[in-house]
Amino acid sequence: SAQRVLTAIADGAVTVEEHTRRLTAPVKGGAGVLIEALRGLDAEGIAVMDVALRRPTLDDVFLALTGHAAGQRAEARATDSRKELVT
């Protein structure tokens, strides 16, 4: 039920960690969307133990723009360079 509520307001896929009972949803709109999510969860009778609004890090933004983590490309170049030296 909580996943359904959050999916309605999310700007992307809702991540569910069943063992910790944690759901994460990317959103646009900041605190206003957080309040909307809490109201939706409350309307469904879902008790919220903790809530947080996290701003994206530079790594999050880089990943969203390029499709890979910031270190992946540098690591790939380093590996390719080592291969060139070995051959």
Side-chain angles (χ1 to χ4, degrees), residues 21 41 45-49:
R21 299 175 50 133
L41 293 167
I46 299 168
V48 176
M49 303 301 284

Side-chain angles (χ1 to χ4, degrees), residues 1 3 5 8 13-14 16 18 26 36 39 45 49 51 55 71 74 76 81:
S1 296
Q3 184 176 9
V5 170
V14 176
V16 178
E18 290 188 28
E36 181 181 345
R39 286 183 179 146
M49 303 301 284
V51 65
R55 300 209 184 277
S81 296

Side-chain angles (χ1 to χ4, degrees), residues 6-76:
L6 294 180
T7 297
I9 60 150
D11 187 43
V14 176
T15 303
V16 178
E17 297 174 29
E18 290 188 28
H19 65 283
T20 59
R21 299 175 50 133
R22 170 186 271 181
L23 286 86
T24 305
V27 297
K28 292 181 181 173
V33 177
L34 178 61
I35 292 168
E36 181 181 345
L38 291 172
R39 286 183 179 146
L41 293 167
D42 185 56
E44 291 289 322
I46 299 168
V48 176
M49 303 301 284
D50 191 18
V51 65
L53 181 63
R54 183 180 66 84
R55 300 209 184 277
T57 64
L58 286 176
D59 287 337
D60 294 334
V61 174
F62 189 86
L63 178 61
L65 293 174
T66 65
H68 60 82
Q72 285 179 334
R73 183 170 240 170
E75 289 170 12

Side-chain angles (χ1 to χ4, degrees), residues 72-83:
Q72 285 179 334
R73 183 170 240 170
E75 289 170 12
R77 282 195 303 258
T79 301
D80 289 343
S81 296
R82 279 184 241 132
K83 286 180 184 175

